[in-house]
Amino acid sequence: MTVFGFHASHEQIHPAELLAAVTHAERAGFDAAMSSDHFSPWSARQGHSGFAWSWLGAALQATNLPFGVVNAPGQRYHPAIIAQAIGTLAAMYPGRFWAALGTGEASNEHITGTGWPRKDVRAARLRECVDVIRALLAGEEVSHDGLVTVDRAKLWTRPEQPPALIGAAVSVETARWCAEWADGLITVNAPVEHLRRMIDAYRDAGGRGPLHLQVHVSWAPEQAEAEAVAYDQWRSNVFAPPVCWDLELADHFDVVSEQVPLERVTSVVNVSADLGRHVGWLEEYVALGFDQIALHHVGQEQRAFIDTFGAEVLPKLRTAA
């Protein structure tokens, strides 16, 4: 049966409020959670960007939910430090933590001042990071000289069972590449046919493990309100790669999204006041075979969404399954 989780969006919500939201989501019937990991929001209107790894320790302690995080090792984060962070959380909360690894975005990584590599270089760097993290979690002493450098690193606190390292992808090509190394696949909502091609590419290439999906939704009692929330908070997030990978500042995203029409927003966010439509959209994703679906209400106020989906959407999906 598909697990339905709550997505914790640090770019939009103060970490204290986000902690209250995820504990409320558990009480309302959500079965899991996942977290973003950014240095910067995509818009000044979003206005936050707490440090995910500090928050994850608090959230795992405050709930009984399994958690995942989407991370980009290699530039802002040294892979040995990410291995240590993963290992500590997995040791403290066995069986409750996974990490998705991707190539990142300039909006978070430019802060190092070292330049933003080409996509092929970022992919090669990520592949090196995956091997470093895996070896460290296995208890090996690691030295490595390549796109990342590691000198005699060893983790002294490790979990008994290394957690899953999930591949993050938004294209068919990247999904196929993730099959080489990942313990599962995560992506974001897109047209059903595109998602099917991604899943097929991953599985046909030998991809193993669970399939995760993050779904952007906007719900409010009135359609106009649901549209207004989505437009205010998410119109800076409608740009396909490479634009979304390569813009550096929230100001840049705000400038290029000034004239974005509502139709662009509703192409990437499931926007409706009709809960039946949300159930229908989610049923389509379930039918594709996703093992876990994390719901991200793109508004900054979460409580009404959590209460309503917990009471009226999730039970229908579980009954249908």
Side-chain angles (χ1 to χ4, degrees), residues 75-286:
Q75 185 158 333
R76 179 171 46 122
Y77 290 118
H78 192 280
I81 298 302
I82 291 304
Q84 185 183 33
I86 291 171
T88 297
L89 289 177
M92 293 178 68
Y93 305 100
R96 290 179 54 200
F97 184 69
W98 53 269
L101 305 178
T103 56
E105 298 174 353
S107 62
N108 303 305
E109 311 304 325
H110 77 90
I111 62 169
T112 64
T114 55
W116 181 233
R118 300 186 313 270
K119 173 62 174 175
D120 62 316
V121 176
R122 302 199 305 270
R125 181 174 66 183
L126 174 60
R127 191 67 183 83
E128 291 183 17
C129 289
V130 169
D131 289 343
V132 168
I133 292 168
R134 278 229 168 87
L136 288 169
L137 289 171
E140 300 174 24
E141 180 180 281
V142 177
S143 293
H144 178 81
D145 295 291
L147 293 168
V148 293
T149 301
V150 185
D151 178 41
R152 294 166 293 177
K154 181 178 179 179
L155 290 187
W156 293 90
T157 297
R158 296 183 293 111
E160 291 186 10
Q161 182 68 36
L165 301 181
I166 307 295
V170 294
S171 71
V172 172
E173 294 74 20
T174 301
R176 184 179 296 111
W177 174 73
C178 286
E180 299 174 10
W181 59 266
D183 299 319
L185 184 72
I186 187 168
T187 189
V188 297
N189 61 284
V192 166
E193 194 51 47
H194 177 75
L195 294 174
R196 183 178 289 112
R197 289 196 300 271
M198 287 186 65
I199 293 169
D200 289 346
Y202 180 72
R203 294 299 193 203
D204 290 348
R208 63 187 183 274
L211 301 173
H212 293 255
L213 180 68
Q214 180 187 349
V215 178
H216 304 305
V217 307
S218 183
W219 171 85
E222 301 296 331
Q223 182 68 20
E225 182 183 356
E227 292 173 353
V229 166
Y231 191 74
D232 176 71
Q233 284 293 293
W234 218 246
R235 69 177 181 269
S236 54
N237 294 64
V238 302
F239 303 104
V243 174
C244 60
W245 293 337
D246 292 344
L247 292 181
E248 293 181 342
L249 301 178
D251 289 351
H252 297 167
F253 282 94
D254 281 337
V255 168
V256 300
S257 63
E258 282 180 354
Q259 303 301 320
V260 165
L262 177 62
E263 292 73 19
R264 285 286 300 279
V265 180
T266 57
S267 71
V268 299
V269 181
N270 291 342
V271 180
S272 183
D274 182 351
L275 293 173
R277 288 201 70 193
H278 286 285
V279 171
W281 282 320
L282 293 167
E283 285 177 337
E284 289 185 315
Y285 303 139
V286 170

Side-chain angles (χ1 to χ4, degrees), residues 58-76:
L60 281 156
Q61 181 64 29
T63 71
N64 292 305
L65 300 174
F67 271 81
V69 65
V70 183
N71 176 260
Q75 185 158 333
R76 179 171 46 122

